[in-house]
Amino acid sequence: MRNLYLTNTLTRTKELFKPIHPGHVGMYVCGPTVYGDAHLGHARPGVTYDILFKLLQFLGYKVRYVRNITDVGHLEHDADEGEDKIAKKARLEQLEPMEIVQTYTERYHEAMRLLGNASPSIEPRASGHIIEQIETIKKILAAGYAYESNGSIYFDVEKYNRDFHYGVLSGRTLEDTLEGTRSLDGQSDKRAPYDFALWKKAEPEHIMRWPSPWGEGFPGWHLECSVMGEKYLGQEFDIHGGGMDLMFPHHECEIAQNQASRGTQGVHYWVHNNMITINGQKMGKSLGNFITLPELFAGNHPKLEQAYSPMTVRFFILQAHYRSTLDFSNEALQGAEKGYKRVMQAAKDLKGIQPAGAAHPEIAALYENAVEALCDDLNTPVAIAHVFEAVKWINSAKEKKATLSKEDLEQLGKLFDDVVFGVLGLRDEEAAAGGKAEKALEGAMTLVLEGRAKARAEKNWAESDRIRDILKAAGIVVKDTKEGAEWTLE
Ligand code: ZN
């Protein structure tokens, strides 16, 4: 098996990947909170961990990829304060929270499918794992790292930090953490501002609530990932991914919960993708640059000059390394669109090239170098640079400025199959759309010609001619043969 290197946030170094169980990889990625449409911020982790998933499979691993659905509902990654977002929306629209969850989960799936992302192996929901979350809280309480306060359970960060290091992932000290935390108001049940909720008592107006040994309430957001990761991947597993914005506090809290409940940090490689900015700005509702994926694909937002197809967006994301920031702008996306189309055109042209001349060793190297780049911490921009080299060769051969041997053509074919359409997960949208339209037309024409045949059987020549003329005006020529009517496009 080829060597794969990943930058591990825990050690802050690029490490040789060694799975716990040879040949098998357990990977957990934090999924969406489904109270609204998937937006640009979901596209990047969606694509990044899909590439990792596909690369691991390409390398020969059997991968169990778990990505959760946060449907219990928490206010902006902070279960401790404020109102539960799903519950709030439900009250306003007079809907059952799970109805909203269902709608947005389906819309999220559709956006991910359009972006070319494979479905995870398991997609567990927080609401389906309340019992397991309660059991984990009991273990943390028994270990002495949590306390009950007015029907809620909080993690005792100070006590934990005396025995372990709270901040091992983000490199923070408890003092750093304190600086970034609002001071406690008199209303809080917490002992210290950095303590986080494992279980929150539900106020009377709170819709989503479950019974527990501490009264009716709901689990803290950080807990679900600890619990579902353990349930589906074991007490220790290989890879945990997510956006850099989740590193603290979400993933830091996960490590603390794992250590307190099962005596191990639980995760061997922490992988974090960097964030997306829009024209250099952070995306935010107040900045007017909050773009959802359906808006992006339809070009339906004031910041967008045009629609950008899902594959253009995927190509754009792949042009940057996942650990670098990525700035969305119309110019950059239009550039990506051109690049994507050039690559797809070359894939088509490659099929029409006749072998000639001697083999070029540079072409064989392109495949190896592209795969090597992907194995070097998912260096997709370098892999794409090698693909563009291949495109140049194909274009030269098409213009008869170079010849490509049988071996060259095989190597180029492998590069497109394994790298472009394989690990990078690109597909030819135009061909796919064309194929769909063709199928639809065939279906419609079968129906139309059946109607015409019926008219002819009834010797209704006027109707038969009328259908033929309408079709002719639409560019469809109908010819009557002994076997029945045949049609072709003009
Ligand atoms: Zn998570």
Side-chain angles (χ1 to χ4, degrees), residues 362-399:
E362 311 89 292
I363 289 180
L366 288 178
Y367 177 81
E368 276 307 310
N369 292 342
V371 172
E372 251 347 276
L374 292 171
C375 291
D376 180 17
D377 200 20
L378 306 184
N379 203 330
T380 53
V382 169
I384 287 178
H386 293 303
V387 170
F388 275 126
E389 280 302 311
V391 170
K392 271 193 213 162
W393 278 103
I394 293 165
N395 290 344
S396 299
K398 192 182 159 194
E399 291 158 17

Side-chain angles (χ1 to χ4, degrees), residues 234-255:
Q235 294 211 332
E236 287 191 53
F237 58 86
D238 299 300
I239 300 170
H240 193 315
M244 236 170 226
D245 54 336
L246 299 183
M247 192 198 301
F248 189 91
H250 186 53
H251 293 158
E252 200 74 75
C253 294
E254 247 186 79
I255 291 178

Side-chain angles (χ1 to χ4, degrees), residues 47-174:
V47 170
T48 300
Y49 300 107
D50 182 61
I51 300 288
L52 182 52
F53 184 35
K54 289 180 165 129
L55 178 62
L56 287 163
Q57 289 173 306
F58 170 73
L59 294 176
Y61 291 106
K62 195 167 185 312
V63 187
R64 185 179 294 163
Y65 171 16
V66 179
R67 186 181 64 205
N68 65 305
I69 293 277
T70 297
D71 60 351
V72 167
H74 305 288
L75 182 60
E76 291 179 343
H77 302 170
D78 187 356
D80 298 2
E81 336 273 341
E83 192 174 15
D84 182 307
K85 247 188 184 168
I86 296 180
K88 187 175 179 187
K89 206 157 183 220
R91 224 178 24 253
L92 291 174
E93 298 179 4
Q94 297 295 307
L95 287 171
E96 169 61 34
M98 280 300 159
E99 201 177 337
I100 296 176
V101 162
Q102 184 72 30
T103 301
Y104 287 117
T105 300
E106 282 176 13
R107 289 173 68 98
Y108 172 76
H109 285 161
E110 177 62 6
M112 291 300 115
R113 190 188 64 77
L114 287 170
L115 282 171
N117 296 329
S119 297
S121 327
I122 305 176
E123 197 172 44
R125 292 174 169 214
S127 63
H129 298 76
I130 301 293
I131 292 166
E132 290 89 338
Q133 294 183 73
I134 290 172
E135 288 310 304
T136 299
I137 295 170
K138 284 186 196 164
K139 283 184 198 158
I140 299 174
L141 278 167
Y145 294 108
Y147 57 89
E148 184 177 355
S149 175
N150 189 28
S152 295
I153 309 289
Y154 293 99
F155 194 92
D156 189 341
V157 171
E158 206 167 278
K159 166 114 196 273
Y160 177 83
N161 192 54
R162 279 200 295 273
D163 299 339
F164 306 98
H165 174 198
Y166 180 75
V168 67
L169 185 66
S170 56
R172 296 179 188 220
T173 65
L174 207 53

Side-chain angles (χ1 to χ4, degrees), residues 212-233:
S212 83
W214 319 286
E216 281 205 346
F218 54 95
W221 171 50
H222 310 310
L223 193 60
E224 65 181 72
C225 292
S226 277
V227 167
M228 295 190 281
E230 180 182 5
K231 173 154 180 164
Y232 297 107
L233 298 171

